Amino acid sequence: MNANTDQHYIQKTLDGDTRAFSVLVARYQSYVFTTVLRMVKVREVAEEVAQDSFIKAFQSLKTYRGEAKFSTWLYSIAYRKALDALRKNKRERTSEFIDEISEGNFEDIENALGYLEAKERTETIQQCIMALPEEEAAIITLYYFEEQSVREIAQITAYSEDNIKIKLYRSRKKLFTLLKNFIMPEITDSNGKAI
């Protein structure tokens, strides 16, 4: 067994070497935190949920059967913990009514993004993802940033693969709409007027 695989560290942990689990934590902590943060939208809550997710994973490691990748199993735990935190806190959502915003021309969005510096582009995209409803932000994050397949996201969220495809499609449209409305005021014509 390759000493760098998740399964190697899982087996070492199950064999009593609890320090081996810290390798898995280090490997996935930023991914879990990012996914959870995009759902709960509050850094302190995200830190707590991410920590709880790793504790739950450690405590439940003996139930991991290896039918899915370890990362998929772990994201499933984090996803459910984030949903629990959202239900528990029942805080008011500050998300805009995204559905009411017109879609506009996706080509304009791509052109507008070309005017932003790379850092600004990343920050803009992340701000817009944070404005999505929690579940949609998580699905976008899992698919594009964590590179989870539709099948893996379906396993994580307990939705069907077809449902995930629909949610991804709708979430992308909402994200493009947010990007357009975030970026377009900064685009001006040659006279300095907003386009």
Side-chain angles (χ1 to χ4, degrees):
M1 182 182 302
N2 184 343
N4 290 326
T5 65
D6 290 345
Q7 192 58 46
H8 170 77
Y9 293 108
I10 290 167
Q11 192 57 52
K12 284 182 67 112
T13 303
L14 291 172
D15 290 341
D17 182 3
T18 55
R19 292 178 298 160
F21 192 75
S22 66
V23 174
L24 296 170
V25 171
R27 187 173 284 174
Y28 294 107
Q29 67 185 355
S30 66
Y31 300 120
V32 168
F33 175 75
T34 301
T35 302
V36 169
L37 178 61
R38 290 190 175 147
M39 288 181 72
V40 299
K41 315 248 189 258
V42 178
R43 184 173 194 80
E44 293 77 21
V45 175
E47 289 169 351
E48 185 177 325
V49 170
Q51 183 177 3
D52 289 347
S53 300
F54 282 109
I55 291 169
K56 172 75 172 172
F58 179 78
Q59 293 170 340
S60 304
L61 197 57
K62 61 185 171 293
T63 66
Y64 171 67
R65 296 183 306 259
E67 294 170 356
K69 291 190 309 189
F70 175 74
S71 61
T72 301
W73 181 76
L74 179 61
Y75 291 144
S76 179
I77 292 170
Y79 178 82
R80 284 177 179 66
K81 288 280 187 188
L83 287 178
D84 289 345
L86 287 168
R87 279 191 284 270
K88 180 182 172 190
N89 293 333
K90 289 198 180 199
R91 61 181 177 75
E92 287 223 4
R93 295 182 184 172
T94 57
S95 299
E96 297 178 41
F97 293 102
I98 299 169
D99 292 327
E100 296 175 14
I101 301 171
S102 66
E103 289 179 32
N105 186 346
F106 292 143
E107 207 172 290
D108 290 342
I109 297 166
E110 290 177 358
N111 291 339
L113 282 173
Y115 290 99
L116 298 173
E117 296 292 328
K119 183 177 179 185
E120 289 174 329
R121 185 179 314 165
T122 300
E123 289 173 5
T124 299
I125 291 170
Q126 291 194 16
Q127 285 176 354
C128 290
I129 290 172
M130 292 293 284
L132 288 171
E134 294 83 2
E135 189 174 83
E136 293 174 351
I139 290 171
I140 289 284
T141 300
L142 288 167
Y143 189 76
Y144 288 104
F145 295 92
E146 313 302 335
E147 298 180 359
Q148 298 287 304
S149 68
V150 168
R151 181 175 182 225
E152 291 167 331
I153 296 170
Q155 291 172 341
I156 290 168
T157 62
Y159 287 117
S160 70
E161 289 182 37
D162 287 339
N163 202 334
I164 293 299
K165 289 176 187 174
I166 291 167
K167 287 180 178 292
L168 267 172
Y169 174 76
R170 290 178 180 162
S171 299
R172 278 192 297 256
K173 284 176 65 173
K174 288 180 181 180
L175 182 59
F176 276 120
T177 299
L178 284 170
L179 285 168
K180 176 186 173 235
N181 288 300
F182 189 87
I183 295 169
M184 293 308 272
E186 296 188 22
I187 306 301
T188 58
D189 63 15
S190 58
N191 296 326
K193 295 181 182 178
I195 295 176

